[in-house]
Amino acid sequence: MRLAAILCLVGLSGCSVFNHQPIPELGDPDARLDALLVELRDARAIERGEYGPEDPKPKVRTRNELLRELETLAFDFPNNGRVQYACGSAAYSLGRPETATAYLDAAINADPRLTEATALRARMAIEAGNYPRAERLVDDGLLLAPDSGELHLLAAQLLDLDGDAAGALRALDLAAKLGVETWRVEYNRAIVYENQGKVADAERALRRCLDENPDCEEAARRLRRIEAR
């Protein structure tokens, strides 16, 4: 199922490319990456059993072959933000944080407006407890992309960690207006309320989260813990 995680994380169809200068003998990096993403999508569908026994299945390479192709692209195109982000996302999903960090830093250097890379790098910094680094990434990212819902969602987490619940809730409201999925906003809202000791508000937010996404196991666990009190 790790390959499915890679595909979920590598959501690149809408990413921009900064200072993109194709090298003719190597082909177009975006075209090569797009073709690879199609293979990843097909591999995910096969893993999830989305093809019936009589349905013709697309021919896809093994996971290791696909990952090697990603690494080859990254080597061939070190200044292409999309490619570097793809490798960073894959490395992160496979539990290789140091490798992911290197690729994501390269992606941000190649294209500072690639908010997907900035958001994932900031999330990793939060997970590592490096909050000052996460704050710098989020602040810099929002200067370039103030309409990024993902970055406002991360800003809310950082504000909550800093004890600014009101600021965190405002950031979550903005993230929701900018298109972040309702269940994710409500889950984070529940955490803010729970940290404030507002158990009833946290419970309502968790129920709203689960209404939108019944498969959110973390929300279900938090709700069960609240109900057991």
Side-chain angles (χ1 to χ4, degrees), residues 110-124:
D111 183 355
R113 295 182 182 274
L114 193 61
T115 55
E116 295 89 341
T118 301
L120 181 54
R121 183 68 183 85
R123 187 178 305 123
M124 290 180 63

Side-chain angles (χ1 to χ4, degrees), residues 9-164:
L9 284 167
V10 186
L12 296 166
S13 59
C15 296
S16 62
V17 180
F18 192 70
N19 289 339
H20 171 204
Q21 296 178 340
I23 302 173
E25 59 269 27
L26 296 178
D28 186 290
D30 294 296
R32 287 174 60 183
L33 180 59
D34 289 341
L36 181 58
L37 293 177
V38 170
E39 283 197 72
L40 286 166
R41 180 199 65 198
D42 290 341
R44 182 190 182 202
I46 291 172
E47 281 194 351
R48 294 177 61 177
E50 295 178 5
Y51 289 93
E54 297 182 359
D55 293 337
K57 294 183 177 65
K59 293 182 178 180
V60 295
R61 288 172 285 178
T62 67
R63 183 186 68 186
N64 286 338
E65 288 173 330
L66 294 170
L67 292 175
R68 281 197 296 271
E69 177 66 15
L70 271 177
E71 291 173 347
T72 298
L73 277 175
F75 180 81
D76 288 343
F77 300 100
N79 296 317
N80 185 287
R82 287 185 76 215
V83 170
Q84 299 298 321
Y85 169 59
C87 283
S89 297
Y92 175 76
S93 71
L94 293 172
R96 297 160 54 195
E98 292 182 1
T99 301
T101 295
Y103 280 126
L104 292 171
D105 285 345
I108 295 167
N109 288 334
D111 183 355
R113 295 182 182 274
L114 193 61
T115 55
E116 295 89 341
T118 301
L120 181 54
R121 183 68 183 85
R123 187 178 305 123
M124 290 180 63
I126 292 173
E127 291 171 354
N130 190 348
Y131 303 136
R133 172 63 171 155
E135 289 174 358
R136 287 194 299 273
L137 284 161
V138 170
D139 288 346
D140 290 347
L142 285 172
L143 285 174
L144 294 172
D147 59 347
S148 170
E150 287 295 323
L151 290 176
H152 284 289
L153 189 70
L154 289 165
Q157 294 177 21
L158 289 165
L159 288 164
D160 186 44
L161 287 167
D162 199 38
D164 185 356

